[in-house]
């Protein structure tokens, strides 16, 4: 588990249950945060503590949490491929947490960012994932009955390779039972309270089926297997709304491996296995994980017998090169050291890339890392050829919100070129600089525009070229856009106040809906 450096946090330095001393933040996501801690009762043995993004409202919810953690603890004792849960508790603020074994290594997500897997390595890792899932699906004993356990959130982030790169490396599955607990405890409708990861959820999960069986995990495993083999997700979208992902999982036919990555060479039998796992209808998938394990064993034997090449394919993210260049940038000498923001074109070997520069306090920059960020473009082209570029940053833990905005006057060649680059490339880098240390870049994040946003920007550019006369002045145009901008801010602030402390995925879903409503 990798440590987050220089992260301020209310739990760091605290002693939970008079036993676990919180040292640093290891990771964070929609379901909660994971911390490195020392068990002071066991010679300061290192452990991992996960604190959930939820408050325990009543005794019934507390009992349900305890039940899910008890089940997870049983699984960890039964299988070496499931993270061991040691104990659990509730903070003074009624926030549930549980204590796990401390792991040293990387998640599948982290690994795929920097390296590709050979076929043999893929099979080795997938077999271990399947062994952990098979153990859970067989069930645990509770009150004299056997209960099969469905994970509900199989994804690259939840597959950890302990001692990655060493001979003793072993796959560990994280977060068993947590998705189910958060779903049952949210008290919201299905689309509002959807707990899971949209890119990896099964069709029946997306459609709100109350009872999921092992084949739901098998679908998620199929998506994961596809990504491990190609370096890319089977479904590509720039719009990450619930409705779009529901359509992709429930209706869209998965592409072939060659369509996603023409460089990969994968045995036909392995391709067929992954395609079966991705079947829309549960009856088209393998009936259980044991069947997948049997198939993988046969495929491995065939590969060894036939000498199938398993050379890795190096996948380099499209934006990774220009992101590295952003980290080398310095705050312009002609700009004041102040809380300001502005766009700039970054010249790279592959052409111009749009960037947005912002100066904020160091503490805020750390809070916004990995948090909810969204972007929008406001225009009224029938009045004046101008676009207001808005980026919203939100930290759900502290409820801190920052709005970054800049007016792009399309009568100015430089600003029209920035908008044209945004429409053409479909992404931009946001560069953060700290007021306390202004001359070097402190953090870089990348925004991917939706297809609709890119088309709207292209339409705005075309309209601006046909704009022959000024109906109103530039300052009047800014005033009109500012009114629309203030309406958007008011609506978003209202909704965020009502959704405070909800899981990240719920907040993101509401923001998408609000922005769509605002545009209509």
């Amino acid at each position: 588990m990798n440590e987050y450096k220089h992260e301020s946090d209310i739990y760091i330095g605290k002693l939970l249950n008079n036993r676990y001393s919180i040292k640093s933040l290891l990771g964070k996501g929609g379901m909660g945060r994971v911390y490195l801690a020392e068990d002071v009762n066991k010679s300061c043995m290192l452990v991992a503590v996960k604190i959930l993004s939820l408050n325990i409202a009543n005794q019934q919810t507390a009992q349900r949490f305890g039940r899910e953690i008890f089940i997870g603890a049983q699984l960890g004792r039964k299988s070496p491929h499931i993270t061991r849960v040691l104990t659990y508790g509730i903070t003074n603020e009624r926030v549930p947490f549980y204590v796990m074994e401390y792991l040293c290594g990387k998640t599948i997500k982290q690994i795929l960012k920097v390296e590709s897997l050979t076929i043999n390595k893929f099979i080795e890792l997938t077999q271990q994932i399947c062994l952990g899932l098979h153990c859970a699906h067989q069930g645990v004993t509770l009150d004299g009955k056997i209960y099969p356990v469905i994970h509900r959130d199989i994804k690259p982030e939840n597959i950890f390779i302990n001692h990655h790169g060493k001979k003793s490396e072993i796959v560990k599955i994280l977060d068993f039972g947590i998705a189910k607990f958060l779903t049952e405890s949210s008290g919201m409708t299905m689309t509002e309270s959807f707990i899971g990861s949209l890119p990896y959820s099964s069709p029946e999960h997306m459609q709100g089926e109350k009872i999921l069986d092992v084949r739901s995990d098998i679908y998620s495993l199929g998506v994961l297997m596809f990504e491990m083999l190609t370096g890319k997700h089977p479904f590509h979208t720039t719009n990450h709304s619930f409705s779009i992902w529901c359509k992709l999982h429930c209706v869209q036919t998965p592409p072939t491996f060659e369509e996603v990555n023409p460089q990969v060479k994968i045995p036909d039998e392995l391709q067929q296995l992954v395609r079966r796992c991705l079947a829309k209808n549960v009856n088209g998938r393998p009936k259980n994980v044991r069947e997948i394990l049997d198939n993988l064993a046969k495929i491995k034997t065939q590969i060894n017998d036939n000498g199938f090449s398993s050379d890795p394919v190096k996948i380099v993210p499209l934006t990774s090169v220009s992101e590295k260049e952003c980290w080398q940038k310095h705050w312009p000498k002609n700009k004041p050291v102040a809380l300001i923001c502005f766009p700039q074109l970054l010249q790279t070997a592959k052409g111009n890339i749009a960037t947005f520069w912002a100066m904020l306090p160091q503490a805020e920059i750390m809070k916004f890392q990995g948090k909810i960020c969204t972007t929008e473009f406001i225009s009224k082209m029938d009045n004046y050829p101008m676009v207001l570029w808005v980026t919203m940053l939100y930290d759900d833990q502290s409820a801190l919100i920052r709005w970054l905005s800049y007016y792009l006057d399309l009568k100015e060649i430089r600003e029209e070129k920035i908008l044209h680059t945004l429409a053409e490339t479909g992404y931009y880098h946001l560069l953060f600089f700290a007021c306390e240390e202004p001359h070097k870049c402190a953090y870089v994040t990348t925004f991917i525009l939706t297809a609709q946003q890119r088309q709207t920007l292209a339409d705005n550019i075309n309209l601006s070229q046909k704009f022959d006369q000024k109906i109103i002045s530039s300052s009047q145009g800014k005033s009109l856009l500012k009114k629309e901008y203030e309406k958007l801010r008011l609506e978003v602030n209202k909704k965020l106040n009502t959704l405070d402390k909800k899981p990240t995925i719920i907040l993101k879903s509401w923001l998408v809906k609000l922005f769509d409503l605002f545009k209509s």
Side-chain angles (χ1 to χ4, degrees), residues 90-105:
I90 299 173
T91 69
N92 293 333
E93 297 78 24
R94 307 298 296 167
V95 178
F97 69 89
Y98 58 96
V99 182
M100 305 171 284
E101 62 178 323
Y102 173 66
L103 304 175
C104 183

Side-chain angles (χ1 to χ4, degrees), residues 72-339:
Q74 281 204 54
L75 290 176
R77 288 192 292 269
K78 286 181 65 178
S79 172
H81 301 295
I82 296 175
T83 307
R84 290 199 65 186
V85 176
L86 307 176
T87 187
Y88 71 96
I90 299 173
T91 69
N92 293 333
E93 297 78 24
R94 307 298 296 167
V95 178
F97 69 89
Y98 58 96
V99 182
M100 305 171 284
E101 62 178 323
Y102 173 66
L103 304 175
C104 183
K106 292 182 179 180
T107 65
I108 288 288
K109 181 176 182 179
Q110 292 169 326
I111 292 171
L112 291 180
K113 281 184 176 180
V114 296
E115 64 181 275
S116 300
L117 305 176
T118 65
I119 297 295
N120 285 330
K121 186 65 174 180
F122 162 83
I123 292 177
E124 178 188 333
L125 295 179
T126 306
Q127 284 176 322
Q128 293 188 56
I129 297 170
C130 288
L131 287 170
L133 282 176
H134 182 60
C135 174
H137 292 169
Q138 284 183 311
V140 298
T141 303
L142 187 64
D143 299 328
K145 295 181 180 180
I146 297 177
Y147 291 89
V149 183
I150 313 301
H151 191 285
R152 291 173 174 250
D153 197 24
I154 292 296
K155 59 182 178 180
E157 298 95 312
N158 279 338
I159 308 299
F160 198 93
I161 314 301
N162 201 23
H163 305 301
H164 171 60
K166 301 179 181 179
K167 289 184 178 179
S168 60
E169 71 175 16
I170 185 171
V171 170
K172 295 276 187 175
I173 305 176
L174 311 177
D175 281 351
F176 259 102
I178 302 306
K180 182 173 184 288
F181 167 71
L182 287 175
T183 300
E184 293 175 346
S185 304
S186 64
M188 301 177 74
T189 65
M190 194 275 290
T191 54
E192 293 171 342
S193 67
F194 184 87
I195 304 296
S197 299
L198 297 178
Y200 300 91
S201 294
S202 67
E204 59 272 24
H205 191 180
M206 299 290 296
Q207 291 170 334
E209 291 288 339
K210 292 183 179 180
I211 300 177
L212 302 176
D213 67 19
V214 301
R215 292 169 295 183
S216 179
D217 278 351
I218 286 175
Y219 180 90
S220 302
L221 176 64
V223 180
L224 174 63
M225 291 164 69
F226 191 104
E227 192 167 353
M228 289 169 69
L229 286 166
T230 65
K232 299 180 182 180
H233 193 281
F235 299 116
H236 173 71
T237 178
T238 54
N239 183 340
H240 295 281
S241 66
F242 181 93
S243 59
I244 292 297
W245 278 113
C246 189
K247 181 179 179 181
L248 289 171
H249 287 305
C250 299
V251 180
Q252 184 71 39
T253 302
T256 65
F257 288 84
E258 291 75 13
E259 288 173 332
V260 171
N261 187 348
Q263 295 176 289
V264 299
K265 295 180 180 179
I266 301 167
D268 290 341
E269 295 81 1
L270 187 51
Q271 293 191 42
Q272 291 171 14
L273 175 61
V274 176
R275 280 197 290 267
R276 286 182 59 210
C277 292
L278 290 173
K280 306 297 184 187
N281 190 306
V282 293
N283 295 321
R285 301 172 205 156
K287 61 181 180 296
N288 53 47
V289 177
R290 182 78 259 172
E291 187 177 332
I292 299 175
L293 280 166
D294 291 342
N295 276 270
L296 288 173
K298 291 177 183 176
I299 293 168
K300 187 174 183 179
T301 300
Q302 291 172 355
I303 289 173
N304 292 336
D305 291 345
N306 301 331
F308 187 90
S309 173
S310 61
D311 293 336
V313 178
K314 188 67 178 176
I315 308 298
V316 180
L318 178 67
T319 61
S320 62
V321 175
S322 50
E323 271 190 12
K324 286 181 181 178
E325 293 191 36
C326 290
W327 281 99
Q328 308 304 317
K329 295 301 174 184
H330 300 278
W331 190 253
K333 293 181 180 179
N334 62 344
K335 297 289 183 183
V337 177
L339 300 181

Side-chain angles (χ1 to χ4, degrees), residues 271-477:
Q271 293 191 42
Q272 291 171 14
L273 175 61
V274 176
R275 280 197 290 267
R276 286 182 59 210
C277 292
L278 290 173
K280 306 297 184 187
N281 190 306
V282 293
N283 295 321
R285 301 172 205 156
K287 61 181 180 296
N288 53 47
V289 177
R290 182 78 259 172
E291 187 177 332
I292 299 175
L293 280 166
D294 291 342
N295 276 270
L296 288 173
K298 291 177 183 176
I299 293 168
K300 187 174 183 179
T301 300
Q302 291 172 355
I303 289 173
N304 292 336
D305 291 345
N306 301 331
F308 187 90
S309 173
S310 61
D311 293 336
V313 178
K314 188 67 178 176
I315 308 298
V316 180
L318 178 67
T319 61
S320 62
V321 175
S322 50
E323 271 190 12
K324 286 181 181 178
E325 293 191 36
C326 290
W327 281 99
Q328 308 304 317
K329 295 301 174 184
H330 300 278
W331 190 253
K333 293 181 180 179
N334 62 344
K335 297 289 183 183
V337 177
L339 300 181
I340 62 171
C341 58
F342 56 88
Q344 274 199 172
L345 284 179
L346 174 68
Q347 292 183 342
T348 72
K350 293 189 176 181
N352 289 331
I353 302 297
T355 63
F356 201 95
W357 299 40
M359 182 167 281
L360 295 173
Q362 180 68 48
E364 287 191 17
I365 294 173
M366 290 193 294
K367 285 183 179 180
F368 291 134
Q369 292 182 21
K371 289 305 183 70
I372 297 173
C373 304
T374 188
T375 194
E376 192 51 76
F377 301 91
I378 303 172
S379 62
K380 281 187 168 295
M381 298 298 291
D382 52 340
N383 294 306
Y384 190 88
M386 181 179 289
V387 173
L388 179 55
W389 183 357
V390 177
T391 298
M392 192 208 79
L393 310 171
Y394 181 68
D395 171 33
D396 52 321
Q397 297 298 315
S398 62
L400 176 65
I401 185 170
R402 273 285 188 184
W403 294 87
L404 310 176
S405 62
Y406 192 90
Y407 295 95
L408 291 169
D409 189 333
L410 300 189
K411 286 192 170 292
E412 299 292 332
I413 294 176
R414 172 187 169 274
E415 298 186 357
E416 187 271 342
K417 192 172 183 180
I418 290 173
L419 209 65
H420 184 271
T421 303
L422 279 169
E424 190 174 66
T425 61
Y427 69 93
Y428 71 92
H429 301 309
L430 176 56
L431 286 68
F432 288 99
F433 292 80
C435 303
E436 299 87 343
E437 199 173 357
H439 301 300
K440 65 178 183 179
C441 184
Y443 182 62
V444 178
T445 188
T446 300
F447 285 76
I448 306 297
L449 305 188
T450 67
Q452 183 179 351
Q453 284 177 326
R454 295 175 70 176
Q455 185 59 56
T456 301
L457 293 181
D459 291 343
N460 286 343
I461 294 168
N462 290 333
L463 287 171
S464 70
Q465 294 170 350
K466 299 174 183 177
F467 209 91
D468 296 326
Q469 57 182 352
K470 291 185 179 180
I471 301 176
I472 59 175
S473 66
S474 173
S475 60
Q476 288 173 317

